[in-house]
Amino acid sequence: MARIFGIDLGTTNSLIAAMENGAPRVIASRETGEALLPSVVAIAPDGTVTVGERAIEMEPHLTHERDGKISAVGYPGGEYGAVIRSVKRYMGLGGDELAPEDRARYTFADLSGPVVRFQIGKRVFTPSQISAEILRALKDSAERALADGEKVERVVITVPAYFNDGQRQATKDAGRLAGLEVVRLVNEPTAASLAYGLNKLATGNVAVYDFGGGTFDISILSIKEGIFEVLATNGDTHLGGDDIDRAIVEWLLNGLPETVKLDRHVWNSVRMAAEDAKKRLSDFAETEIVIELPRHTIRKHLTRDSLEQMAEPLIARTLKRCELALADAKLKAGDIEAIVMVGGSTRMPLVRRQLATMFHREPLCSINPDQVVALGAAVQASVLMGNQGDMLLLDVVPLSLGIETMGGVMERLIHRNTTIPTSVTEGFTTAVDNQTHVDIHVLQGERELAKDCRSLARFKLGPIQAQPAGVPRIEVTFLIDANGILNVNARDERTGREHSVDVKPSYGLTDEEIERMLEEAIDLGEQDLEERLLISSRNDAEQILGALGKQLGEYGALVDADERARMDEVAERLEAARRGTDRELIAKLVEGLNEITTPFAERIMDAAIKLALEKKSVAELS
Amino acid sequence: MVECLSCGRRQEPRLICADCGTPLSAALDSFAALGFPRKLSIDLAALERSYHELSRKIHPDRFASREVAIRDASLRATALLTRSYRTLRDPTLRGLYWLELIGEKLAENNKRVPTELAELVFEVQEQLAGMQDAPGDSDAARELASDVVKRRGELQATMDETVAELERNFIQWDQRSPGIAENDRAKLTTELKAILSKIAYLRTLIRDVDRALENSKAA
């Protein structure tokens, strides 16, 4: 059976992982050796998409020319092309839900619709489409790194535990748009517990504190004989390391004119400097920040103490969420036997200190906090393939689900922290004679009034046979699946007939819109594919030429003149071909060069083994 | 009767096909879903074991690569199982479910304060109103708040006693069922309803107290 892969689609970085010989491993890029793909997507005015480290270079920022002049480079947005970072913050958001500071960062198309849309060049992109580019980049990168032409087709994608229905749906849509089958959405903290749980946590209560770039989650789990049961979860989908960066940016820009503050080139340069400073202060007590702007120079000294003062209110908010989750789990801090740390923001010493104080024990951070979610996703993928024996994850729905009743009150049907999948059946009837439809408004949230909860969907039951008020009986089943996504169906209680339910999501994309985007993607896809194959063969060429150069430098003595001449000839032809666009020629030459150099590679291997046996270094030999 | 979507065997409604172990999408009461007899007193550890064991067998994670119909049956069977477990695990929900099973229900719009709680409710409301009116940062306010904290403890104790009363009512049902005499049934039902409304009322009261304390802390 084809392998299922685990993907952590993060606010700041994304990763892909899979099980290998019983252990989860991240799949690093073959070209760069990096496992983390920055979740940054650059879209040029002509629509060309770049993802990752190279997209960061295209972010609007200020640069120093050699003559000392400072100039603005990168795509600043709108018709000039844009670079989107932290797209996860926008997943599932409606136009009216955008914060004012977000509106200043990017150029958006019409904000009256149910989905936020970025305006880039002449095209508009939904957050799901941008996320799909990240997923596609991960898929391509993994496929280049995998042996035997293995394909990435079926995946588990992680989401913040506190993601609502719309945010989850948007993530699933992104997977579909990237041509992936999303077998399951898994909550990030739960995934992390699986990564630790494989051998480090046998049984007991565990708290997973997941403080990432853009989101915060806390989950409390009970682990018993391979069953990972989430007892409670809480969080904030708009609280993360980004917010600490923003606080530093505010401080750095303090006193400068508004026009300078709002300039996207300036803002982004300052943001990068702020992020660097924050990271440095995890290891050092103080740091110097210098940013040269066209008419100003920002030069400030930041100590860890003052950074902690800025971060403290944000961390206090996370601790409050921890208390709420503990109360929902009906546990006390002392009942927690292990605290698992997830997300780059947990590297801050302040976070670790405060958690140690709250739980009276040192948090666990033996697995890289940037990788642990992807590793856990790979474990869950393995569970889904039936390879993990008795291991089973029982997760919960993070927010209550209900319907609007008379007077605009939210009636809860499924309470938060209910184990999923779960369902509830509710009876509906008509209020006036001969009513043919019943309108139902589905909500998600913890507030008493419908207007304070998030609208999930509206639907109409019917047509109902004309009857006196109160006579028709329609049973509606609200079912939340293992992904935490709502499904609705309705049945006439007397006739037993299924009613079709046309659920109109309040936010997000309709099925028709997804279909249209998929069609567009297929049109562009064939062109993309040819281009991707070319890039991939160029990468192969670069790699083999680079490796050969290095080997000839170190072990040149192992090649005779005749052999050397043959190698040089093919290498030169490949060098020329890789600058062109003839993909098949490049591939043929790579293969040819590979063949000629195989005996040489074998000799190097022999020499290396001999060296290892004699425990001598190259230096000693020469 | 339900038919297994995998092997086709027709059988009595149950969660798992007796022949091939495939989940079945069947309508079952919560006791039957967990394989427990219809008794109100429940060994919670045994209940959890049964829940975990059944989850391992029917959870959608076990059928991720099967055809849509079987994935759907697994989804529905697991939804029923988790819902049933949640109902039976909590004594109050279990009591309410019992009423539903015997065709009774707590009167909706049950706004009348149970008589034995009337005095307590009055006192608590006085206290909360006093705390709201007192200036935020004064000795008087702090004293009132500490009284309310004490009251919170008393309310919890009353709640615990009431839940114990509920458990005693459960034992009575179990001793007399099945074949309970009509007058016993009427008596136990009335008692069960009274206990459950008392619990519902106490719960609201505790929630109000917690909110007031939370607000005074925030102020």
Side-chain angles (χ1 to χ4, degrees):
Chain A
M1 188 173 56
R3 264 205 295 188
I4 304 177
F5 293 81
I7 291 181
D8 172 7
L9 183 60
T11 307
T12 318
N13 294 301
S14 298
L15 300 86
I16 181 165
M19 268 328 229
E20 258 161 50
N21 305 323
R25 280 191 212 302
V26 295
I27 303 171
S29 150
R30 211 186 61 181
E31 295 81 31
T32 65
E34 287 289 333
L36 292 182
L37 176 76
S39 304
V40 181
V41 179
I43 300 170
D46 68 357
T48 311
V49 176
T50 312
V51 181
E53 209 58 60
R54 281 178 45 228
I56 293 179
E57 292 163 18
M58 298 172 195
E59 276 188 290
H61 63 278
L62 299 170
T63 184
H64 252 349
E65 302 287 343
R66 228 169 299 162
D67 57 8
K69 254 185 26 204
I70 297 167
S71 53
V73 295
Y75 303 148
E79 58 183 307
Y80 306 107
V83 181
I84 313 286
R85 91 164 32 230
S86 304
V87 65
K88 193 169 177 178
R89 283 180 100 106
Y90 305 96
M91 293 292 270
L93 280 195
D96 56 341
E97 297 177 298
L98 264 189
E101 69 262 28
D102 287 327
R103 293 186 192 206
R105 293 283 80 80
Y106 300 111
T107 307
F108 293 95
D110 171 29
L111 284 179
S112 63
V115 185
V116 165
R117 287 169 204 267
F118 298 94
Q119 178 78 51
I120 303 168
K122 288 195 169 53
R123 294 176 62 193
V124 292
F125 294 81
T126 62
S128 293
Q129 282 172 296
I130 304 280
S131 294
E133 295 296 345
I134 300 171
L135 291 172
R136 209 171 284 141
L138 280 177
K139 169 183 158 79
D140 290 349
S141 163
E143 287 178 351
R144 286 200 298 274
L146 290 167
D148 308 323
E150 187 181 0
K151 295 285 169 219
V152 177
E153 275 154 359
R154 307 178 77 206
V155 297
V156 166
I157 301 181
T158 60
V159 291
Y162 219 56
F163 252 19
N164 64 33
D165 187 273
Q167 291 167 306
R168 286 167 196 269
Q169 194 62 58
T171 306
K172 244 186 131 183
D173 292 344
R176 252 181 94 188
L177 290 171
L180 295 167
E181 183 199 337
V182 182
V183 185
R184 174 80 79 250
L185 297 178
V186 180
N187 293 331
E188 285 155 11
T190 323
S193 76
L194 288 180
Y196 272 96
L198 266 190
N199 40 33
K200 295 190 176 64
L201 310 167
T203 179
N205 298 318
V206 177
V208 185
Y209 180 94
D210 180 355
F211 198 19
T215 58
F216 170 72
D217 276 331
I218 171 77
S219 286
I220 314 283
L221 289 97
S222 148
I223 303 177
K224 212 178 263 178
E225 288 154 17
I227 300 251
F228 287 62
E229 192 172 355
V230 180
L231 302 177
T233 192
N234 210 303
D236 187 332
T237 55
H238 287 89
L239 176 62
D242 285 3
D243 297 289
I244 299 175
D245 298 349
R246 284 184 194 204
I248 306 173
V249 169
E250 294 272 309
W251 171 73
L252 286 170
L253 289 175
N254 192 19
L256 292 180
E258 278 307 298
T259 47
V260 177
K261 285 189 194 174
L262 287 176
D263 183 282
R264 286 180 190 165
H265 292 95
V266 171
W267 195 85
N268 216 33
S269 291
V270 178
R271 190 198 58 73
M272 288 187 214
E275 190 187 342
D276 283 347
K278 176 186 74 178
K279 288 183 181 166
R280 277 199 302 279
L281 289 174
S282 285
D283 297 315
F284 303 101
E286 51 195 304
T287 187
E288 205 69 44
I289 307 172
V290 181
I291 307 156
E292 300 212 19
L293 307 179
R295 268 182 296 281
H296 307 269
T297 298
I298 302 173
R299 186 182 300 274
K300 285 195 174 177
H301 185 80
L302 185 60
T303 63
R304 186 188 284 171
D305 281 350
S306 38
L307 170 69
E308 291 188 345
Q309 271 173 29
M310 285 186 233
E312 212 280 330
L314 297 168
I315 295 172
R317 274 165 66 190
T318 69
L319 296 180
K320 177 77 204 162
R321 297 281 175 175
C322 294
E323 280 172 21
L324 293 173
L326 275 174
D328 276 349
K330 299 191 171 68
L331 293 176
K332 298 198 168 44
D335 300 327
I336 300 295
E337 277 120 306
I339 310 141
V340 168
M341 299 290 262
V342 187
S345 302
T346 60
R347 289 208 170 83
M348 289 186 72
L350 176 66
V351 172
R352 297 190 177 185
R353 279 203 317 271
Q354 297 222 346
L355 279 177
T357 310
M358 178 170 179
F359 289 98
H360 309 292
R361 61 176 68 233
E362 286 302 318
L364 293 179
C365 20
S366 59
I367 302 183
N368 181 339
D370 290 325
Q371 298 191 348
V372 63
V373 168
L375 294 171
V379 175
Q380 175 64 8
S382 171
V383 169
L384 290 166
M385 287 188 286
N387 296 340
Q388 290 299 322
D390 269 354
M391 201 165 184
L392 182 69
L393 189 59
L394 299 172
D395 219 318
V396 300
V397 59
L399 298 159
S400 301
L401 183 130
I403 48 172
E404 179 172 351
T405 59
M406 300 271 266
V409 174
M410 148 89 158
E411 186 195 338
R412 261 177 212 106
L413 298 179
I414 295 175
H415 287 257
R416 68 161 189 269
N417 293 323
T418 299
T419 309
I420 51 172
T422 191
S423 68
V424 61
T425 301
E426 187 74 6
F428 291 88
T429 186
T430 50
V432 294
D433 290 347
N434 302 327
Q435 188 178 336
T436 55
H437 287 94
V438 176
D439 287 307
I440 295 177
H441 186 195
V442 190
L443 305 158
Q444 198 164 29
E446 309 310 321
R447 303 283 297 275
E448 304 288 321
L449 294 180
K451 68 175 174 60
D452 298 323
C453 291
R454 191 171 200 272
S455 174
L456 248 186
R458 291 175 188 274
F459 62 90
K460 253 188 205 326
L461 281 181
I464 302 164
Q465 208 187 336
Q467 279 173 323
V471 172
R473 301 292 308 173
I474 301 163
E475 270 191 347
V476 180
T477 301
F478 300 85
L479 184 144
I480 298 182
D481 66 16
N483 301 312
I485 293 178
L486 173 70
N487 303 263
V488 181
N489 62 54
R491 201 173 63 97
D492 193 303
E493 216 174 293
R494 281 180 312 112
T495 64
R497 212 177 57 219
E498 294 278 330
H499 271 283
S500 73
V501 183
D502 184 20
V503 179
K504 198 174 169 314
S506 307
Y507 295 98
L509 301 166
T510 62
D511 274 349
E512 294 79 47
E513 281 174 290
I514 299 270
E515 289 303 330
R516 211 192 55 236
M517 287 177 188
L518 276 172
E519 279 167 25
E520 283 172 10
I522 290 166
D523 288 346
L524 293 169
E526 278 173 24
Q527 199 186 329
D528 287 355
L529 182 68
E530 194 47 46
E531 210 160 299
R532 282 211 303 273
L533 289 171
L534 176 62
I535 292 172
S536 152
S537 56
R538 278 179 182 159
N539 287 333
D540 290 346
E542 240 165 84
Q543 203 209 9
I544 191 166
L545 287 169
L548 182 62
K550 206 166 150 241
Q551 288 165 346
L552 284 172
E554 274 178 57
Y555 301 95
L558 297 175
V559 188
D560 64 37
D562 197 28
E563 199 179 10
R564 178 68 187 253
R566 271 184 291 137
M567 283 184 192
D568 283 349
E569 196 232 302
V570 184
E572 260 166 52
R573 280 172 57 201
L574 179 58
E575 187 62 55
R578 83 179 174 94
R579 282 166 224 267
T581 54
D582 188 345
R583 173 170 68 75
E584 282 173 18
L585 177 67
I586 302 174
K588 220 179 83 193
L589 288 167
V590 166
E591 205 174 304
L593 190 58
N594 211 353
E595 212 167 288
I596 310 181
T597 54
T598 303
F600 174 41
E602 282 165 2
R603 266 172 273 153
I604 294 176
M605 189 60 83
D606 288 347
I609 292 170
K610 224 156 105 195
L611 275 178
L613 287 175
E614 293 167 8
K615 289 189 182 154
K616 282 182 184 166
S617 71
V618 181
E620 275 174 80
L621 272 183
S622 59
Chain B
M1 299 291 271
V2 285
E3 189 178 318
C4 173
L5 294 168
S6 190
C7 71
R9 167 164 171 172
R10 287 182 62 76
Q11 51 205 301
E12 289 296 314
R14 44 192 294 154
L15 272 189
I16 302 173
C17 172
D19 274 359
C20 70
T22 307
L24 302 174
S25 183
L28 293 171
D29 73 65
S30 293
F31 292 96
L34 278 142
F36 269 61
R38 235 188 233 207
K39 294 262 176 201
L40 273 165
S41 297
I42 287 182
D43 172 356
L44 290 179
L47 187 74
E48 187 188 51
R49 271 199 303 280
S50 170
Y51 168 58
H52 284 172
E53 227 165 85
L54 289 164
S55 292
R56 279 200 181 99
K57 291 179 182 153
I58 65 171
H59 194 275
D61 284 5
R62 296 279 181 259
F63 301 90
S65 301
R66 294 291 296 272
E67 54 270 43
V68 175
I70 288 177
R71 289 207 311 255
D72 193 62
S74 146
L75 178 60
R76 283 172 204 288
T78 310
L80 172 71
L81 178 68
T82 52
R83 189 115 207 125
S84 301
Y85 175 60
R86 206 180 163 80
T87 304
L88 296 190
R89 185 182 56 177
D90 179 87
T92 309
L93 292 179
R94 197 191 311 151
L96 288 167
Y97 181 65
W98 186 262
L99 285 182
E100 196 184 312
L101 281 180
I102 62 174
E104 299 271 349
K105 60 176 170 184
L106 275 192
E108 275 175 37
N109 302 324
N110 189 9
K111 293 277 189 245
R112 229 191 51 225
V113 184
T115 17
E116 69 268 42
L117 285 181
E119 199 176 330
L120 180 69
V121 169
F122 182 73
E123 282 172 25
V124 172
Q125 276 164 354
E126 287 278 279
Q127 263 182 316
L128 294 185
M131 197 168 72
Q132 215 163 28
D133 294 342
D137 194 35
S138 66
D139 285 343
R142 271 186 290 275
E143 201 172 310
L144 278 168
S146 101
D147 283 352
V148 172
V149 171
K150 220 171 86 195
R151 178 67 77 183
R152 171 71 172 79
E154 288 165 23
L155 284 172
Q156 187 58 54
T158 314
M159 178 64 116
D160 294 346
E161 275 165 35
T162 315
V163 172
E165 243 180 275
L166 181 66
E167 307 269 6
R168 285 196 294 276
N169 175 272
F170 286 175
I171 293 171
Q172 302 253 348
W173 280 103
D174 291 346
Q175 280 170 350
R176 287 167 177 75
S177 310
I180 184 168
E182 190 43 51
N183 57 342
D184 280 350
R185 179 192 150 106
K187 185 178 142 278
L188 286 179
T189 305
T190 312
E191 191 183 292
L192 179 57
K193 282 183 181 177
I195 299 170
L196 288 171
S197 5
K198 196 169 156 189
I199 289 176
Y201 218 91
L202 281 168
R203 188 173 287 168
T204 319
L205 212 51
I206 289 175
R207 195 194 58 198
D208 289 349
V209 169
D210 282 345
R211 275 195 194 152
L213 285 172
E214 190 73 15
N215 289 341
S216 81
K217 242 193 289 175

